[in-house]
Amino acid sequence: MRSKTERMARLRGMLHDLLIARESGESAPRLARAQAHVDGAMRVLLDSGQATLRELLEIVAAERARVSGPATAEIGAASLSA
């Protein structure tokens, strides 16, 4: 069985590959397959209790920033409730 660290590293790699494929204009079927693999890996981490939703969201945000650059602006909680 893989450790949490190994699973999280694998997830980061899968996310990176998915985001690169999206940026390069990969075909819809390939993107859908890659997205399904990422979703499945995240579900395993959540269901097994190895990761929290917050941890997974932080990984996704970090990989997006790494591939696409930083976000243009952060959205605060106050603007979400309006």
Side-chain angles (χ1 to χ4, degrees), residues 9-73:
R10 177 71 178 128
L11 176 61
R12 283 182 199 278
M14 291 168 54
L15 274 167
H16 183 79
D17 293 346
L18 170 64
L19 294 169
I20 291 293
R22 186 174 291 158
E23 290 275 325
S24 66
E26 192 60 62
S27 68
R30 287 185 184 216
L31 286 175
R33 191 175 315 113
Q35 182 69 54
H37 287 286
V38 169
D39 289 348
M42 289 179 154
R43 174 57 60 193
V44 166
L45 288 165
L46 283 172
D47 288 350
S48 68
Q50 290 185 346
T52 64
L53 182 58
R54 183 167 199 69
E55 288 175 309
L56 296 178
L57 291 174
E58 287 172 0
I59 289 172
V60 171
E63 284 305 313
R64 276 193 184 145
R66 198 169 131 209
V67 171
S68 303
T72 55

